[in-house]
Amino acid sequence: MPDAATGPHVAEQVDVVLRDGSTVHVRPLGHSDAAPMETFLGGLSEDSLRLRYFTGAANLSRASRESVAMEPPDAYGLVATRGDGRIVAHACYVGDGATRAEVAFAVADDLQGQGIATTLLAHLAEAASECGVDWFVAEVLPENHSMIEVFRDSGFEVQTKSSAGVIEVEFPTALTPLARERFEARQRVGSVAAVSSFLAPRSVAVIGASSRAGSVGNQVVRNLLESDFNGPVYAVNPRPGTIESLPAYASIEDVPDPVELAVIAVPAAAVVEVARACGRRGVRALLVLSAGFAEVGEEGARRQRELVGICRDAGMRLVGPNCIGVVNTDPQVRLDATFARATPPVGGIGFLSQSGALGLAIMEGAAELGLGLSSFVSNGNKADISGNDLLEYWESDARTDLIVLYLESFGNPRKFSRLARRVGQVKPVLAVKSGRSSAGSRATSSHTGALVSASDVTVGALFRQAGVIRTDTLSELFNVARLLSAQPVPRGRRVGIVTNGGGLGILCADACEAAGLDVSELPERVRDDLAQFLPPAAATANPVDMIATATAEHYGRAVATLAASGAVDAVIALFIPPLATRAEDVARAVAAAAVTTQLPVLAVFAAQEPPAAALEHAGERIPAYGFPEDAAHALGRAAEYGTWRERKEEPPPGYADLRKDEATAVIAAALGDGSGWLSPVDVARVLDCYGVKVPAWRLAATPEEAAHAATLLGGPVAVKSVATGLVHKTDVGAVELGAEGAGEVRSAAERVRSAVRSAGFQGDGFLVQRMAPPGVEMLVGVVHDPLFGPLVACGAGGTTAELLGDASVRLTPVTRGDAREMVRSLRTYPLLRGYRGAEPLSVSALEEVVTRLSALVEDHPEIAEADLNPVLVGRDDATVVDARIRVEQAPPRRPWPSVGA
């Protein structure tokens, strides 16, 4: 078997996280590994050797040679390594020449129980399945409880039976949903453990600590000491002396006690050697504040790759480089490992910022904004620990109620989507994503690609499906965070507005409706209740205008009445300072009323600073804003999230009529000839395999053949040019519609041929297609984003698709609920429902085209682009009138994500 090369899944070399949060490198076993394998086996205890080879006196040299001689598909081996390639675990299977293979494992004694064998089993099963091995079998000594536990906990469908002196185990290699779920659960444990080394370390060393006031190294030490970190702090500086009362150690290797977290604040050129020393010292986590890495060019990127490699070899985890640090306000930890000059107040927000400058602003302004943090992480270049790792940590952190993210890029957006969808069911995830312009959009050759690349709709689609609350600006991010960190999530969109100024109430109502909220007139019974204590001149419809003489008592009773009425899902109290009533008294009354309800209550104090202290009551806090628009927009975002959370999870539709193998054969043939774009014949075959309706058609090489094809089809036909590279046929006159009769069809084909040649294309013939029934022209398509994967778009179609720009996008797989939302969100949706008295059309048929195309691209990742335009939506069905599909060799699908993804 070639070293780490050919064979099933053998190109996969990944770093995986263990239960304790450290990492190992998993790769195929190669011929050059004989000596390292013998060293590994020689380091195993007598018990481990006996459990692996059924004897404590195995011939290790021969076992090593046999291991590296394994070649797929009949046999295959994997190793996990650390340090300078040191093997710490081995797994292999040996086939019986048919569909079964025996599987075996060995793990270094000091790493047993960390999940290595289970991880290797998952990768090994994937490789075996690709090679046609359907079943794994194993013989296990009865006392080898840990190995039997590995099999049983794997999620595979394990069967066991007792035999003479051994337990026989067998299970299918196909990955079950339970196996994947178990693997992801184990990875979650590792992610939480890894992040815990940064946010709850037992000890901290600051490498680059300084006695110079104002330096990064000095500020970090001061913050650790002033926050009263619950653990020892060590200062590392080659110059002897003391730093902020701490003795300075010349090197991390001179620190006498174990160090879990090393904060590195040295020049970039020195970081790599410092990291090596940390690895030798057994440090578990590196927090690299230093800049000068991937953010500054290729030399910095090379330095960053080297740093990550050192961490991988040592099993260390890394936050940064180029970050400002981490904070944990837990009274049991009290960690401030940043160089910010202010410590945020204690609260329930877990905050991630990829921007160091923004992180500093958050730290400085958290108290002013009323944002209390449970923890804060600035991950800078996110070379290792990612936002996905932090999501998993905050999901399990009882002190975190709200997760707030400032993102500049994604590492593994599909994993982010899965995690955010799960976390969002119990904790809101709030994000602002920078880089929304179309300046970086890639060139594309289809209508669908042009629509999708016109903006950051991919990020919007991801957030929408995952239930992430997206805000457009930092100001809005903070506004929503203030609401959700202090108040419950609204269960609906109905809003009651209480005000002492009619104009302010109207502005708020307008802003609420613009934010998708419902400001409906209150029921008569509620208005009667309000009239019992409000002045006769008060308006009680909604907004409730209590007029300028409204007292604090009026505010308190009005808020309580609306909240208890069942007629609203949230209350906004607006206050303009009159001559008599004090803002502080109103704030106390509103806060006291709010604690008696489970509805969110917001306050707006116009023309003055909100009285923050008065807005707290019985441990609860009312978010206050200076303008009604801010409150309305924040509530609108929260209500969108509440609606998403109430939705039932549904799987994508499972169609029983799909002919996957036939479509695979068509695509494979196209990949073989290197054409890229499928021919019209192949497009029609692939769509037919997935139940997508296309009008009857014939290919013709000449105008005469086109006339004959039209006669066979019957009725009026469309004549279209078949020309390589021609995308927008209508633009060059390459389409003639409604031709009927042999002469008319022949003339139409001649005009099409002439137009195509005039446009500089070499026509390859004609597609003659029966005219579809009349309907509304829509577009359904797919583009394959290299980072986000397949994206399905649905929108207004025809020749004006890009001009209208009316499209909705989702990541695959698309559920029926996703398809319904996509279609109903379009500006052109009213055309489908019978605009201005027209007949309603089959919206469900269009939705089915969307979900079937999603199934097609999920099953066949080789599809790089698909353009179904137009799709004519009629009264009873939806018919694809024109379609293009481009294929390219897909990268191998990695079954298990690597570390940091």
Side-chain angles (χ1 to χ4, degrees):
M1 182 179 75
D3 288 346
T6 60
H9 203 54
V10 292
E12 286 295 341
Q13 301 192 50
V14 297
D15 297 299
V16 298
V17 62
L18 305 182
R19 286 195 179 105
D20 65 356
S22 63
T23 62
V24 293
H25 185 68
V26 174
R27 63 171 176 81
L29 190 65
H31 284 307
S32 61
D33 287 319
M37 266 298 297
E38 187 169 352
T39 301
F40 161 65
L41 294 175
L44 295 177
S45 66
E46 185 176 333
D47 275 349
S48 292
L49 285 172
R50 183 177 59 83
L51 295 175
R52 168 63 179 87
Y53 294 104
F54 289 25
T55 175
N59 186 326
L60 303 185
S61 179
R62 185 177 69 184
S64 300
R65 291 195 303 273
E66 291 175 349
S67 296
V68 301
M70 295 178 178
E71 295 195 26
D74 298 324
Y76 183 51
L78 289 170
V79 290
T81 65
R82 265 190 176 173
D84 296 328
R86 177 173 60 93
I87 295 175
V88 296
H90 171 243
C92 66
Y93 73 76
V94 178
D96 64 358
T99 61
R100 299 168 72 85
E102 184 174 0
V103 63
F105 301 85
V107 178
D109 290 76
D110 61 336
L111 287 176
Q112 291 177 10
Q114 290 296 327
I116 296 182
T118 308
T119 297
L120 291 176
L121 172 60
H123 287 271
L124 204 62
E126 179 75 8
S129 183
E130 290 180 10
C131 283
V133 175
D134 298 329
W135 288 86
F136 272 164
V137 298
E139 290 187 346
V140 182
L141 291 174
E143 62 267 34
N144 194 355
H145 304 296
S146 60
M147 196 69 252
I148 296 173
E149 184 179 351
V150 166
F151 291 133
R152 289 206 177 279
D153 290 347
S154 65
F156 290 94
E157 297 175 356
V158 175
Q159 302 173 19
T160 62
K161 67 178 181 179
S162 298
S163 188
V166 296
I167 297 174
E168 295 181 2
V169 180
E170 68 175 26
F171 54 92
T173 59
L175 292 173
T176 65
L178 179 60
R180 186 172 294 278
E181 182 182 321
R182 293 274 179 87
F183 186 90
E184 291 179 350
R186 286 187 292 271
Q187 189 177 56
R188 185 155 62 247
V189 170
S191 294
V192 172
V195 176
S196 295
S197 290
F198 293 93
L199 291 178
R202 289 181 291 274
S203 57
V204 178
V206 181
I207 304 175
S210 173
S211 58
R212 180 167 56 87
S215 66
V216 170
N218 179 261
Q219 191 64 47
V220 173
V221 173
R222 288 175 61 90
N223 286 352
L224 284 166
L225 297 177
E226 291 177 1
S227 65
D228 193 24
F229 169 62
N230 186 24
V233 177
Y234 305 99
V236 177
N237 189 304
R239 296 179 181 176
T242 60
I243 297 174
E244 299 297 330
S245 76
L246 298 176
Y249 296 95
S251 165
I252 186 65
E253 296 178 277
D254 295 327
V255 176
D257 302 310
V259 173
E260 184 166 8
L261 172 64
V263 183
I264 299 179
V266 301
V271 168
V272 167
E273 287 307 316
V274 167
R276 286 198 178 97
C278 288
R280 293 191 296 268
R281 184 64 182 79
V283 173
R284 290 177 54 84
L286 299 187
L287 175 59
V288 180
L289 309 181
S290 314
F293 290 85
E295 79 279 4
V296 298
E298 181 51 40
E299 176 61 25
R302 181 202 60 76
R303 184 182 295 124
Q304 183 167 306
R305 289 192 295 270
E306 188 176 5
L307 172 62
V308 172
I310 291 167
C311 291
R312 292 287 182 267
D313 289 343
M316 296 184 295
R317 303 306 302 271
L318 168 68
V319 164
N322 185 33
C323 67
I324 69 166
V326 300
V327 172
N328 187 349
T329 63
D330 186 345
Q332 301 301 314
V333 179
R334 304 186 301 276
L335 173 73
D336 184 351
T338 72
F339 52 89
R341 296 185 180 276
T343 300
V346 178
I349 299 177
F351 207 125
L352 164 67
S353 176
Q354 283 184 228
S355 165
L358 175 64
L360 286 171
I362 293 166
M363 299 287 287
E364 300 286 346
E368 178 184 343
L369 293 170
L371 294 175
L373 305 187
S374 61
S375 51
F376 167 84
V377 176
S378 162
N379 65 347
N381 294 2
K382 60 186 185 68
D384 178 20
I385 294 291
S386 67
N388 292 339
D389 294 313
L390 291 161
L391 272 179
E392 294 192 297
Y393 175 85
W394 281 321
E395 177 189 20
S396 68
D397 181 28
R399 296 182 61 251
T400 299
D401 304 315
L402 169 66
I403 299 168
V404 178
L405 311 172
Y406 174 79
L407 302 173
E408 294 178 347
S409 63
F410 285 104
N412 185 337
R414 287 194 164 250
K415 182 179 178 183
F416 174 88
S417 177
R418 292 195 305 272
L419 292 177
R421 190 189 302 261
R422 187 184 73 226
V423 175
Q425 294 297 326
V426 292
K427 299 180 182 183
V429 180
L430 174 60
V432 61
K433 168 71 172 66
S434 63
R436 300 189 63 152
S437 72
S438 60
S441 62
R442 65 189 182 285
T444 184
S445 53
S446 68
H447 295 278
T448 306
L451 286 171
V452 170
S453 66
S455 69
D456 65 339
V457 292
T458 52
V459 176
L462 182 151
F463 284 168
R464 191 177 301 109
Q465 285 174 275
V468 175
I469 306 167
R470 182 176 192 176
T471 62
D472 297 326
T473 65
L474 286 176
S475 174
E476 190 181 7
L477 179 82
F478 293 136
N479 285 339
V480 180
R482 279 191 282 171
L483 169 58
L484 290 176
S485 65
Q487 294 290 295
V489 176
R491 295 181 178 178
R493 297 177 178 270
R494 302 171 303 168
V495 183
I497 300 172
V498 175
T499 180
N500 66 344
L504 195 63
I506 294 171
L507 287 175
C508 186
D510 290 345
C512 284
E513 292 189 352
L517 299 169
D518 178 12
V519 188
S520 295
E521 185 172 333
L522 295 171
E524 197 64 34
R525 59 176 177 79
V526 181
R527 299 179 66 178
D528 289 344
D529 291 341
L530 291 168
Q532 290 181 16
F533 60 86
L534 291 179
T540 58
N542 196 22
V544 177
D545 181 5
M546 302 181 297
I547 69 175
T549 58
T551 65
E553 181 184 359
H554 287 147
Y555 269 95
R557 293 185 67 179
V559 168
T561 299
L562 290 182
S565 69
V568 299
D569 301 301
V571 179
I572 300 178
L574 311 171
F575 177 77
I576 297 178
L579 294 177
T581 307
R582 297 194 319 148
E584 290 79 2
D585 295 335
V586 169
R588 290 190 186 93
V590 170
V595 300
T596 66
T597 178
Q598 295 300 310
L599 303 185
V601 176
L602 300 77
V604 175
F605 288 84
Q608 64 182 304
E609 190 70 25
L615 287 166
E616 295 191 22
H617 183 85
E620 302 292 332
R621 187 178 72 256
I622 305 301
Y625 304 89
F627 299 96
E629 295 83 0
D630 292 340
H633 292 161
L635 185 59
R637 298 294 192 190
E640 287 176 11
Y641 166 69
T643 300
W644 173 86
R645 197 165 70 172
E646 292 299 317
R647 272 179 35 181
K648 292 183 178 179
E649 283 283 318
E650 64 170 327
Y655 293 110
D657 60 346
L658 308 184
R659 306 194 305 278
K660 298 180 184 179
D661 292 342
E662 185 179 335
T664 298
V666 173
I667 292 170
L671 289 171
D673 65 26
S675 58
W677 290 100
L678 299 187
S679 69
V681 174
D682 287 343
V683 170
R685 286 181 62 192
V686 168
L687 293 179
D688 185 63
C689 287
Y690 276 74
V692 178
K693 184 177 179 181
V694 179
W697 55 272
R698 293 285 189 279
L699 279 179
T702 65
E704 290 73 20
E705 289 185 16
H708 179 63
T711 302
L712 295 176
L713 291 171
V717 297
V719 180
K720 305 176 184 180
S721 174
V722 177
T724 302
L726 178 58
V727 178
H728 305 303
K729 299 182 184 70
T730 306
D731 292 353
V732 298
V735 177
E736 292 269 345
L737 302 177
E740 192 167 9
E744 190 174 335
V745 172
R746 186 182 302 108
S747 298
E750 290 172 348
R751 289 194 298 273
V752 165
R753 181 169 61 184
S754 175
V756 168
R757 288 176 177 174
S758 297
F761 294 94
Q762 181 63 46
D764 302 319
F766 308 94
L767 179 73
V768 183
Q769 188 176 56
R770 184 180 297 154
M771 291 292 291
V776 171
E777 290 187 338
M778 302 298 289
L779 173 149
V780 180
V782 167
V783 291
H784 200 292
D785 186 281
L787 190 61
F788 289 78
L791 304 165
V792 175
C794 177
T799 59
T800 59
E802 289 108 326
L803 177 64
L804 294 176
D806 183 23
S808 182
V809 177
R810 295 292 187 276
L811 279 69
T812 60
V814 176
T815 68
R816 286 191 171 93
D818 290 331
R820 282 193 296 271
E821 287 184 357
M822 291 173 73
V823 174
R824 284 157 179 75
S825 69
L826 299 173
R827 296 193 303 274
T828 46
Y829 174 67
L831 294 177
L832 302 174
R833 297 307 301 152
Y835 186 64
R836 289 190 172 180
E839 188 176 31
L841 305 178
S842 181
V843 174
S844 61
L846 175 61
E847 293 167 358
E848 184 158 331
V849 173
V850 172
T851 54
R852 285 182 176 272
L853 185 62
S854 170
L856 171 62
V857 74
E858 274 286 288
D859 290 341
H860 304 283
E862 301 84 6
I863 295 177
E865 286 184 80
D867 211 33
L868 281 53
N869 181 35
V871 178
L872 278 181
V873 183
R875 183 182 63 184
D876 301 315
D877 55 21
T879 304
V880 177
V881 175
D882 196 12
R884 290 166 54 84
I885 296 177
R886 183 172 65 83
V887 296
E888 61 186 22
Q889 192 65 51
R893 284 186 170 180
R894 175 174 289 177
W896 314 110
S898 185
V899 171

